Amino acid sequence: LLNAAPMHDVGKIGIPDAVLRKPGPLDAAAMRQAYLEADVFLLPSCCENSPNSLGEAMLLGVPCAYALARSPSRAARWFEELLTLPVAVPGLASALALILVYGQLAGFRQSFAFILVGHMVFTLPFMVRTVGAAFRKGELRALEEAARSLGASFAQRFLGVLVPAVLPAIVAGSLMVFTLSVGEFNLTWMLHTPLTRTLPVGLADSYASMRIEIGSAYTLVFLIVILPVLWGLQAIGALIEKHHGT
C-alpha cells in the first residue's frame, strides 16, 4: 500500500493492483485504517527526506564552507570542529539531545521537519568539509582577488566565479550527503513517528517482526527510488569534472 505521490514510478514495475494500491491523500482516520491493513505502508517522508536533506545541506553548507574558509579567526576553526562533532557522537545520543530540547514542541516533534533537522545535523559537516577544502585552494583565492579588482560585487564573485570553480567538490559533497541520509538509521529510529517513518526504519521493523517478504518489498522500493538518483549524481559529477576539471 502506497500513500506517496513521488512514488509513481513504483507502479511501472508490473505489480498487480491487488498488491499495490495508491490511495492518495488520506485524512487521519483513513490513514490509520490503511496503516493497520497494509503490510508495507509508504509515505512521502519515506523517500523525500534524503533529497530535502541534500537541498538544505547545499543551501547552508556551501555558504558556511566559504565563510569558514575565508575567516582567519580561531573562533572559526573551533566552530568548524564543533560542526563536525555530531559525526563522532553516536546517532542515538544526538537524537536524544534533539528530543530533550525540542520534544515539547508537539507540532515540530510530529512533523517531517524534525527528522530533517536530525539528518542536517549529521550530514552538514560532510558538505562543509568537502567544499571548504576546495575554497581554501590558493588559485581560487587569486581568482577571487582578480574578480574583486575588476569591480565584481560579492554576489558576482561568489555565484559567477567561486561556485562554478568548486562545482566538483559540491557534487562530491552532495553524493556523500545523499548516501548518508538515505541509509541513516540510528538517529532516525529515535526521531521518527508512524507517519514520518523512513525506508531504513521500515526495513528494520519488518526484519524485527520476521516478515522477510515485507523486508524484501521495502528493499525493492529502496533500490527503485535510490539507484536512479545516485546514478544521476555520479553522471553530473563526471560531466562537471570533464568541463571544469578537479
Side-chain angles (χ1 to χ4, degrees):
L1 176 63
L2 300 180
N3 185 37
M7 297 294 294
H8 55 81
D9 289 338
V10 179
K12 300 177 181 179
I13 63 178
I15 300 177
D17 291 339
V19 177
L20 178 65
R21 289 185 292 152
K22 295 182 286 186
L26 301 174
D27 57 26
M31 182 176 293
R32 179 181 182 277
Q33 185 62 31
Y35 188 84
L36 292 175
E37 295 175 353
D39 288 321
V40 179
F41 188 83
L42 296 180
L43 295 157
S45 60
C46 292
C47 306
E48 292 179 354
N49 184 67
S50 298
N52 288 336
S53 298
L54 175 58
E56 295 295 330
M58 293 178 65
L59 290 176
L60 297 177
V62 175
C64 183
Y66 173 79
L68 293 174
R70 292 295 182 265
S71 176
S73 67
R74 182 175 298 180
R77 305 284 79 78
W78 279 104
F79 179 77
E80 189 170 1
E81 296 301 326
L82 183 64
L83 192 66
T84 313
L85 190 61
V87 179
V89 175
L92 293 177
S94 299
L96 181 60
L98 289 172
I99 292 173
L100 290 176
V101 175
Y102 301 107
Q104 302 301 321
L105 305 175
F108 179 55
R109 173 67 181 90
Q110 298 173 9
S111 70
F112 164 73
F114 194 57
I115 292 182
L116 180 60
V117 169
H119 279 228
M120 280 296 303
V121 170
F122 176 67
T123 59
L124 186 62
F126 294 93
M127 178 66 76
V128 172
R129 287 284 191 175
T130 304
V131 180
F135 276 131
R136 290 189 177 94
K137 291 183 178 180
E139 56 268 26
L140 198 57
R141 292 177 181 269
L143 283 175
E144 185 178 8
E145 289 299 328
R148 180 186 289 111
S149 67
L150 293 174
S153 64
F154 173 76
Q156 291 173 327
R157 297 195 307 270
F158 185 75
L159 298 176
V161 177
L162 297 178
V163 170
V166 299
L167 272 180
I170 293 176
V171 174
S174 300
L175 190 58
M176 283 193 292
V177 167
F178 183 83
T179 306
L180 290 168
S181 179
V182 76
E184 209 292 319
F185 172 76
N186 292 333
L187 187 146
T188 310
W189 183 75
M190 287 279 289
L191 299 181
H192 86 283
T193 68
L195 299 184
T196 58
R197 184 170 59 175
T198 61
L199 284 173
V201 175
L203 187 61
D205 289 344
S206 64
Y207 287 149
S209 60
M210 299 301 294
R211 298 297 302 274
I212 305 302
E213 70 282 3
I214 298 178
S216 299
Y218 269 113
T219 302
L220 179 62
V221 173
F222 189 89
L223 293 176
I224 291 173
V225 173
I226 301 309
L227 286 180
V229 178
L230 293 179
W231 290 334
L233 285 175
Q234 290 177 341
I236 292 173
L239 183 63
I240 291 176
E241 184 173 344
K242 178 180 179 180
H243 286 279
H244 295 276
T246 57

